[in-house]
Amino acid sequence: MTAFARNQWYVAAYAEEVGRELLGRTILGEPLVFYRTEAEGTPVALHDRCVHRRYPLSESGLDGDRIVCGYHGFTYDTTGACVYVPGQKRIPRTARVASYPVVEQDSLIWVWIGDPALADPQGIPRAKHLASPGWTTVRGMEPIDADYGLLVDNLLDLSHETYLHGGYIGTPEVAETPITTEVDEGAGVVRVSRHMDDAECPPFYAKSTGIEGRITRWQDIEYFAPCLYLLHSRIAPVGVVPEADGSDPNGFHTEITYAITPSTDGKVYDFWMVSRDWATDSDEVTEFLKGNNHTVVMQDVVALNLLQETLGTERTGYQELSINIDTGGLAARRILARLVEQGEKPVEKVQ
């Protein structure tokens, strides 16, 4: 299993998921409960177990900004301190639950599981397109019964699109085109690029953009270890080279975002988002992209669940074969291991 780097920021939820209804989610093996304060709407994250008999606070209720345990009534404020114990006035000194640093940014709720003193919000990588005017985003989340390192491998090697996602986003050119890889070990960033000058247009784009014939297709990945993955996707009819900023009127710029959040050993939350700055008012395009991408994600879910099950039956000491297309994934493994081994030092600020 891939070890957890605890002193890092992880996506726990979409902003719209956290409100006045209590939300339970397990991050890095820690059961958490999320909600928003009544007046300011500030997100709060507490440990999701009452100190009394370990009842899940996420299955309890709110009284103003305080959680009232649904089993015996122990009541906690936003800092996790117990402020009421039934049947007595004295509150035991140990009657408190952990609170966790939480930040709302780019329509995502980020949480810090490690040492609160090290939780610098400036270290959270950005995905500004998720909350910027001029962009339309479809999104979802699927839990996967697999090690989160397997999902990192999956997303950094897009050659699998040709075989696993044929008929949706995969075409022969994806697997046939060599990649270029850049690794910034200090910042914990891996970049993998694949530029196809003459490629088949997959249904995902043909049906949503109306492009007929072959395309120029660019896939530029940025992975900010351990959690955030950005795929800058740009397509245009063959002969039209998209501008790097996606501004070419004959091209289509799509940002595909994943948040890779470990839940427990062998389980990961797969947050997926597809953002576009074209046809932003089209409900038809929105519904197509949402349904199509959900199908693609579920193909990954089935494959990774099967892979995890298969790896669990492998003999001790089996040898794994890696090739050129695995360069990005192998770099990510090194970075993730380093984040654990060197005292889980936070990555540098990424703009």
Side-chain angles (χ1 to χ4, degrees), residues 220-233:
D220 295 301
I221 296 168
E222 291 185 292
Y223 170 60
F224 301 91
C227 186
L228 190 68
Y229 169 100
L230 305 177
L231 169 57
H232 312 293
S233 175

Side-chain angles (χ1 to χ4, degrees), residues 207-209 276 278-279 282-290:
K207 293 181 180 180
S208 57
T209 67
R276 69 185 192 277
W278 45 273
S282 173
D283 292 338
E284 182 179 1
V285 171
T286 295
E287 289 305 310
F288 172 78
L289 292 180
K290 185 173 184 178

Side-chain angles (χ1 to χ4, degrees), residues 14 138-145 151 154-155 160-161 164-166 168-169 204 229 256-259 268-274 288-306:
Y14 292 120
V138 296
R139 64 186 75 201
M141 190 277 282
E142 295 297 333
I144 306 177
D145 292 330
L151 181 55
N154 171 279
L155 293 173
H160 79 275
E161 288 183 352
L164 189 60
H165 305 310
Y168 293 91
I169 58 175
F204 182 85
Y229 169 100
I256 299 170
T257 308
Y258 283 85
V268 58
Y269 295 118
D270 181 2
F271 293 89
W272 59 267
M273 297 141 269
V274 178
F288 172 78
L289 292 180
K290 185 173 184 178
N292 198 276
N293 202 70
H294 180 257
T295 298
V296 168
V297 169
M298 291 309 299
Q299 289 172 332
D300 280 335
V301 170
V302 171
L304 293 178
N305 285 348
L306 176 60

